Amino acid sequence: MDEETDFDAIVIGAGFAGAATAFQLLKEGIEGDRILVVDRGEPIGGKNMTGGILWGRELDAFKEYLGNWEMDCPGIERCINHKKVGFLNNEDAIFIEGRFASWDGTGGTEEPSQRSAWSVLRAKTDAWLAEKMEEAGIFVMAGIKIDQLNINDLDHTSYNARDLTDPDKDSGVGKAQKWKVDSLPRELVDKIRNGTISGIVQDGEVMTCKVVVIAEGSNSILTRAYHFDRMLHAQSKDDMLLGIKEVIHLGKERIDERFNCFPGDEERPPSGMAMELALSLYREMSQDAWEKYPNTKGQYPRCGGFFYTNEETVSCGIIVQLKSLPEGLHTYDLYQAFKAQPAIAALIEGGEVIEYGGHLCPEYGLHRMPHRFTRDGAVVVGDAAGLVFANGMQIQGMNNALHSGKLAGAAIARCIANGDVSAAALDATYTKALKKSYIFRDLKRFKPATKFLNHPGNFTWVPELIGKTANRVFREIGEEKFSAEKVLLKTRKELRKRNKSNKKGMNIFGIMRLGLLGRKL
Amino acid sequence: MSGTQKIGMFTYDVKNGLGLIDYNIDDHEFAHIIVDIKKCDECSHMMCVWGCPAQCYNFRDQGLKQMKFQYEDCIECGTCFIMCDQGAVSWNHPRGGFGITYSQG
């Protein structure tokens, strides 16, 4: 093996995508001391955050390094065998609840009976993964932020890395907004965007390698700066979600009891519950806001709620589509309103908040993917590449991150062995494998689901209609009863009267349209 | 001025939540977000104010005449960079070892 470069591969970011890439490289025969993983968190995992469910068994591929990760990893909290979907309005909550013996491997003959979902807390998980990487002989460095990549034939001191992502201070507002990088000399920009990447620059020092792996996560500066994703230079709020989450300590026994969870024993991890919710909690808040800020009148925030049980704590939070946020509403207030909904308040009652956090989540779908996943000497994996899947029934990014890391690792090892790490060679291996994998196939298949998910009705009248109808159908207060159909139509009529946007949205065609869109889920 | 908002039955201060996070705040000269507050004067929507989950941006919503930004409370989510279409927000991650550290994630 030639030793011209310091490393064979440098992985930026020690999250799931980065760790999977590093482990896969190792598995493919690259020596551990030829792989460097850097992360800006110190300790590693300190910058990472998730809502929290890891789907699938992608980590099994690295059993030789991770051992019995289900039981040993401190951040892998509970095995989910209990899933709920709910519709919440200010008063009513309707849940559809499923308990599946095959999900925790204790039953089921027709479905594969194996544990396939875990609630995770990333700070602990990633710290543990980093430990395992070091044990396997991989170089891991914590507390290091990389803002510049080394490009062949280009002096890294000839430009300021920050200029690549900064807006231009002197020009344009609104749509005409310009970027500093546009005023840099064309040749320089061309080199930055199309030159061969050959390492990283850290504190003015260059570390060279054959392939750089960008696994920075959802808010990736390097992806923007080095032009994997030119759209990020434009405003990308259309496709960005903000997650706000609190970790609330309830204690293990209380969680086992409150959510009916198996407490766990030596062979079987504790079981847990995962819940995703459609919310219509923000009518009054939005209307108040419109009075003060009439610019965004008629706009309701599109929010979804989530609630997951960890071993000692619960993760409770919302996801806000940034585009839909009306003026006058703070995102943290949206979260507080969610927490105050009676059904949610009852679940976290007596708990102590131990952490508050926020994180962006790319929901790009196929239409907004980076325009390239590789460059000469570099690839991008995981959330940095926007590989997050959401269709309303499931939202998952971590298994995609692991899978894309795995594919990248295999591809890079092959390209290094062949002595060709050009974009074309990496494309022929990594991008091709990615496009053939379930990640892309899922994104393609569920492309129409976005239309359903973004339908304003889901955030206003659907949870109201379902909640109120159920409320009336299930209740007996000594009055004459009507069939469910009649109650539904009556509730619809009332809701239509109450609100102008309802009147339009809830006409028969509106409801049929939503139903038709919904069948694509 | 306070960040306390009345919502439904209770009042809440977002800074309580931030008090639970570990911060190692860098010096001013290395601030990871720089806001050109002159541009904010012309801004009609203040989407950074509404989007930021950590209330780092305070402006007309708090009765202020000028944008008041503090990077110290930032939880590094990147929302403000996405929301600002005035070219006022220059965003980067904090230097290695600085900024927030989640203990749970």
Side-chain angles (χ1 to χ4, degrees):
Chain A
M1 198 173 276
D2 73 308
E3 303 284 324
E4 289 161 30
T5 54
D6 299 336
F7 295 96
D8 276 349
I10 296 181
V11 181
I12 303 171
F16 275 147
T21 315
F23 280 131
Q24 187 66 33
L25 284 166
L26 203 60
K27 223 174 140 180
E28 303 277 339
I30 307 266
E31 279 161 48
D33 58 1
R34 300 286 296 162
I35 308 168
L36 171 69
V37 179
V38 295
D39 193 274
R40 64 191 180 87
E42 193 178 11
I44 283 178
K47 300 282 186 189
N48 296 9
M49 199 196 137
T50 176
I53 304 290
L54 169 65
W55 292 94
R57 300 191 60 90
E58 298 284 353
L59 282 171
D60 274 354
F62 309 119
K63 259 200 173 131
E64 63 238 73
Y65 311 112
L66 300 178
N68 187 3
W69 56 272
E70 297 173 53
M71 299 299 273
D72 297 346
C73 176
I76 305 265
E77 298 276 315
R78 279 173 191 267
C79 170
I80 303 298
N81 65 352
H82 178 185
K83 166 119 183 177
K84 274 171 147 184
V85 181
F87 299 89
L88 260 57
N89 63 39
N90 287 333
E91 299 154 11
D92 314 308
I94 285 290
F95 299 107
I96 300 164
E97 186 171 345
R99 269 176 185 273
F100 308 101
S102 56
W103 285 24
D104 62 16
T106 58
T109 45
E110 284 174 21
E111 296 295 320
S113 182
Q114 59 177 13
R115 300 178 198 125
S116 50
W118 288 265
S119 49
V120 292
L121 290 171
R122 290 297 296 280
K124 297 184 222 166
T125 315
D126 292 10
W128 183 81
L129 278 178
E131 223 173 83
K132 291 287 164 193
M133 279 194 267
E134 279 183 326
E135 276 174 26
I138 298 169
F139 267 123
V140 182
M141 286 162 83
I144 288 178
K145 189 194 80 167
I146 305 300
D147 38 25
Q148 232 175 336
L149 300 180
N150 188 43
I151 291 172
N152 278 353
D153 313 319
L154 183 71
D155 181 7
H156 66 83
T157 52
S158 64
Y159 66 98
N160 181 353
R162 209 166 166 145
D163 287 351
L164 300 179
T165 49
D166 271 3
D168 195 336
K169 281 221 156 48
D170 308 317
S171 76
V173 293
K175 293 240 156 56
Q177 184 181 359
K178 290 219 176 83
W179 300 88
K180 235 182 198 166
V181 63
D182 294 326
S183 56
L184 297 177
R186 278 255 68 86
E187 289 154 40
L188 178 70
V189 175
D190 203 46
K191 257 190 187 163
I192 291 170
R193 287 182 178 171
N194 299 314
T196 303
I197 292 173
S198 59
I200 57 173
V201 183
Q202 203 265 316
D203 265 346
E205 246 178 79
V206 177
M207 278 187 257
T208 57
C209 66
K210 289 171 185 157
V211 181
V212 172
V213 180
I214 300 177
E216 272 197 315
S218 68
N219 194 18
S220 172
I221 290 284
L222 289 175
T223 317
R224 275 173 211 159
Y226 291 92
H227 226 232
F228 285 91
D229 186 355
R230 79 191 120 196
M231 293 285 281
L232 273 176
H233 260 308
Q235 297 305 310
S236 52
K237 68 179 163 195
D238 295 14
D239 304 290
M240 275 292 192
L241 310 173
L242 168 67
I244 297 181
K245 176 181 96 161
E246 266 177 1
V247 179
I248 300 170
H249 186 268
L250 281 171
K252 185 168 183 331
E253 274 155 36
R254 197 145 42 160
I255 292 178
D256 288 342
E257 216 169 89
R258 193 172 289 183
F259 302 97
N260 245 325
C261 295
F262 175 72
D265 56 29
E266 269 164 34
E267 276 154 33
R268 202 182 135 195
S271 76
M273 185 268 280
M275 172 158 84
E276 272 115 35
L277 305 149
L279 305 181
S280 166
L281 304 172
Y282 306 116
R283 256 196 208 285
E284 280 158 32
M285 284 170 76
S286 307
Q287 280 156 4
D288 289 350
W290 300 340
E291 270 176 35
K292 269 189 174 163
Y293 302 94
N295 274 347
T296 43
K297 195 168 176 197
Q299 195 171 319
Y300 291 105
R302 293 180 199 149
C303 278
F306 59 84
F307 193 99
Y308 305 127
T309 53
N310 306 316
E311 193 147 0
E312 304 262 330
T313 56
V314 293
S315 297
C316 167
I318 57 164
I319 276 216
V320 193
Q321 193 187 34
L322 288 176
K323 186 174 111 184
S324 72
L325 187 69
E327 291 171 31
L329 283 183
H330 291 285
T331 44
Y332 47 83
D333 288 348
L334 300 179
Y335 171 63
Q336 292 306 320
F338 169 66
K339 233 172 110 180
Q341 208 283 347
I344 300 299
L347 293 182
I348 54 174
E349 204 244 303
E352 185 200 352
V353 180
I354 56 170
E355 192 164 272
Y356 174 86
H359 201 270
L360 286 182
C361 168
E363 196 195 28
Y364 294 167
L366 280 185
H367 65 290
R368 243 300 264 113
M369 280 284 145
H371 66 290
R372 56 183 176 186
F373 293 96
T374 64
R375 277 183 59 163
D376 291 336
V379 303
V380 51
V381 294
D383 268 15
L387 300 173
V388 175
F389 172 82
N391 76 342
M393 302 281 149
Q394 297 148 343
I395 173 161
Q396 37 189 272
M398 289 188 280
N399 57 338
N400 289 355
L402 284 166
H403 194 69
S404 67
K406 225 186 273 179
L407 297 176
I412 293 165
R414 223 166 97 194
C415 289
I416 289 178
N418 292 342
D420 180 9
V421 291
S422 65
L426 288 166
D427 263 339
T429 47
Y430 172 57
T431 314
K432 198 172 154 210
L434 197 60
K435 293 206 163 149
K436 266 177 101 186
S437 71
Y438 71 81
I439 303 175
F440 260 74
R441 288 219 300 269
D442 285 355
L443 286 171
K444 210 174 199 170
R445 185 163 304 131
F446 288 98
K447 207 175 159 193
T450 348
K451 256 193 185 153
F452 175 79
L453 292 182
N454 290 339
H455 194 287
N458 285 335
F459 307 92
T460 49
W461 57 263
V462 171
E464 283 172 349
L465 184 67
I466 294 177
K468 290 221 170 342
T469 309
N471 183 338
R472 287 168 177 170
V473 170
F474 295 145
R475 197 176 188 198
E476 160 67 59
I477 44 170
E479 282 175 10
E480 197 182 349
K481 283 184 272 296
F482 294 97
S483 70
E485 186 195 6
K486 266 231 157 91
V487 178
L488 183 73
L489 290 174
K490 190 174 154 227
T491 314
R492 168 173 165 256
K493 207 169 165 188
E494 272 178 28
L495 286 172
R496 283 190 78 186
K497 253 189 215 156
R498 195 184 298 172
N499 191 294
K500 232 192 225 164
S501 72
N502 274 354
K503 186 155 198 273
K504 219 174 127 203
M506 289 177 80
N507 69 28
I508 201 75
F509 296 109
I511 293 176
M512 272 166 63
R513 183 162 182 268
L514 190 64
L516 284 174
L517 289 173
R519 82 189 197 288
K520 295 281 187 193
L521 289 187
Chain B
M1 186 192 85
S2 90
T4 311
Q5 307 281 324
K6 184 128 179 47
I7 317 147
M9 300 298 289
F10 58 92
T11 51
Y12 176 79
D13 192 340
V14 65
K15 301 292 178 197
N16 291 344
L18 302 181
L20 303 167
I21 310 173
D22 238 347
Y23 285 96
N24 180 15
I25 297 166
D26 211 345
D27 289 339
H28 259 89
E29 60 175 312
F30 300 114
H32 62 292
I33 303 176
I34 300 161
V35 180
D36 183 1
I37 59 167
K38 266 180 264 151
K39 289 210 160 160
C40 302
D41 292 341
E42 294 165 39
C43 178
S44 61
H45 53 64
M46 309 192 286
M47 284 319 291
C48 53
V49 172
W50 313 123
C52 177
Q55 214 200 6
C56 293
Y57 293 81
N58 290 292
F59 198 17
R60 294 189 281 262
D61 63 317
Q62 302 282 1
L64 300 177
K65 288 230 168 63
Q66 198 180 37
M67 171 64 81
K68 185 166 166 279
F69 167 73
Q70 67 223 35
Y71 71 95
E72 289 91 339
D73 286 346
C74 175
I75 55 174
E76 299 162 31
C77 67
T79 305
C80 51
F81 177 79
I82 303 272
M83 292 307 240
C84 179
D85 57 8
Q86 311 288 314
V89 177
S90 152
W91 205 98
N92 211 319
H93 293 290
R95 293 194 303 162
F98 290 96
I100 54 163
T101 302
Y102 288 124
S103 62
Q104 305 289 322

